[in-house]
Amino acid sequence: MSQNKAPKNNVFYRNQNWHYPKIDRGEGIYLYDVNGKQYIDACSGSAVANIGHGNEEIAAYTEEQMKKIAFTHLSRWTVDTIEECAAKVADWTPGDLNHVYFVSGGSEATETAIKMARQYFIERDGKGSTKWKVISKWHAFHGNTMGALSMTGIPERRRIYEPMLLDFPKIPQFYHYRNPWGCETLEETSVKAAEALEAEILKQGAEKIAAFITEPVVGAACPGIHSTKIYFEMVREICDQYDILLIVDEVMAGFGRTGKKFGVNHYGIVPDIITAAKGMSCGYTPIGAAIASQKVFNRIMVEGSGQFIHGHTYAGNPLSCGIAAKVIEILERDHVVKNAELQGEYLLEKLRSLYQYPIIGDIRGKGLMIGIELVKNQKTKEPFEAQQNVRGKLTVNCMEEGIVPYPGGGAVDGTHGDHILIAPPLNITKEQVDELFEGLERGIRRTIRDIG
């Protein structure tokens, strides 16, 4: 039964059981509510506000561009801002990932990528191609639209929509803390997780598989988990061997979040398609992209029909592309990615001291994309009962202390398991990292008192 805590107005809020404090303004890493209370946006909304809030340079540029041209339809026109943004994105991506299909967000980006993969094989092999399935992973999030949700491996998000979803196979994640193979090292877990891909390909039949999708560092589903380099080396080899496209979902990890331009840069391989959104515009406008390699682009657009059978009204929006290009300019000019690397190392080292508290099970991450898993018993890794809502209690307590984390759960078995993502703006200073940590620690202490 609903708790009906949400404000009583005309908004269809996402969760009627949350009270929704009203934000008045944002400035840098901080948010201020209508009562003047200050919060550190310790999750950048959802790893979005990577250059912080209230950027006046972006605001001035947006006004100027909006007066010039705000909307055209990509089926008929091109605009300088669209071309400039695509060129900047292509400069950031590894290898020959040079062709950018703009959309409005992350779910659209992943749906675009799997359509691109399917059409690639149709153009190459003819209409009779049987390659359509996409292998994805449990403990992975790729979006909430039906195709994206078919790839998402979070049971709680899938449960009521299950009859409507595509039959996409799932394999285990490189979730070392709770790995199913009994591996003692992350390297061993990484190898086993890659071997699981080959086993699933052989089970399904390579002739039915169009693509494999993976995050480089996991976000909402199981924040901060990552592999060693060997995982992506093996996965790249397996995809090539079985004629399968490799899609790397960088919607959360891309554009500097992990201390590299893209998360995949930690591993030294080049995928066939990258999906991006969030940090691409840092929340100043809705935008996302599927970024294709030369091989994929040529097969469809040069050697094939020359027409991608796909489209959205706001695909290639000139205002959004212009804002994203300006954001990327700021990321480069202000060395924001390097700062994410340095402050991420500093924050992760400070966070390790939290193991002194009995509810802290695992701390992991890269750059400023860090996950903290909460447990009832550190030694056995036993999770809390779901009805205790420990992640909710911790979120409320942290917000009381002026810190906004990103809570989630269900990582143990789809129901049990509590965790938070810590992903502050990438231009956070060392002094602000200290401030974030101190507030988070106070929130943890309050939570321990609450749950006894």
Side-chain angles (χ1 to χ4, degrees), residues 131 151 157 334 366:
K131 294 175 81 68
M151 296 183 286
R157 291 185 185 249
D334 296 348
K366 283 186 179 292

Side-chain angles (χ1 to χ4, degrees), residues 249-326:
D249 183 350
E250 297 262 7
V251 167
M252 190 171 276
F255 290 94
R257 170 56 57 189
T258 69
K260 300 282 188 185
K261 288 183 174 180
F262 284 91
V264 76
N265 291 352
H266 290 283
Y267 309 111
I269 62 104
V270 179
D272 298 295
I273 303 171
I274 277 178
T275 59
K278 295 186 184 287
M280 191 172 173
S281 68
C282 295
Y284 286 95
T285 187
I287 195 168
I291 309 159
S293 67
Q294 199 69 43
K295 177 179 81 170
V296 172
F297 177 82
N298 283 350
R299 178 56 64 182
I300 298 171
M301 304 304 288
V302 179
E303 301 158 1
S305 64
Q307 183 178 2
F308 182 31
I309 312 301
H310 182 58
H312 293 281
T313 299
Y314 289 101
N317 178 267
L319 178 61
S320 289
C321 287
I323 293 169
K326 176 59 70 171

Side-chain angles (χ1 to χ4, degrees), residues 317-344:
N317 178 267
L319 178 61
S320 289
C321 287
I323 293 169
K326 176 59 70 171
V327 164
I328 296 170
E329 177 188 318
I330 291 170
L331 291 171
E332 292 174 338
R333 183 194 69 207
D334 296 348
H335 309 290
V336 174
V337 179
K338 184 64 177 178
N339 189 66
E341 178 189 1
L342 296 175
Q343 301 309 329

Side-chain angles (χ1 to χ4, degrees), residues 17 35 50-51 53 107 115 118 142 157 165 175 191 217 241 244 277 293 299 313 320 329 332 340 353 375 386 440 447:
N17 303 320
N35 299 312
N50 289 358
I51 59 170
H53 302 279
S107 294
K115 281 187 172 182
R118 170 62 176 165
H142 300 293
R157 291 185 185 249
L165 301 180
Y175 182 13
V191 170
V217 180
Q241 179 182 348
I244 291 166
S293 67
R299 178 56 64 182
T313 299
S320 289
E329 177 188 318
E332 292 174 338
S353 70
V375 293
L440 176 63
T447 304

Side-chain angles (χ1 to χ4, degrees), residues 142-214:
H142 300 293
N144 275 320
T145 52
M146 288 304 177
L149 190 57
S150 296
M151 296 183 286
T152 289
I154 306 177
E156 183 180 16
R157 291 185 185 249
R158 295 170 54 90
R159 197 167 286 122
I160 68 171
Y161 304 112
E162 201 78 48
M164 306 166 71
L165 301 180
L166 295 166
D167 182 24
F168 285 159
K170 305 284 185 297
I171 60 173
Q173 185 62 270
F174 40 65
Y175 182 13
H176 179 61
Y177 184 65
R178 297 188 185 275
N179 79 83
W181 305 287
C183 296
E184 294 185 0
T185 67
L186 179 58
E187 182 87 351
E188 292 170 337
T189 296
S190 300
V191 170
K192 287 292 185 183
E195 289 174 347
L197 172 61
E198 183 170 30
E200 190 64 30
I201 292 169
L202 295 173
K203 176 184 174 182
Q204 298 285 334
E207 72 281 0
K208 297 177 183 175
I209 308 300
F212 170 58
I213 188 167
T214 179

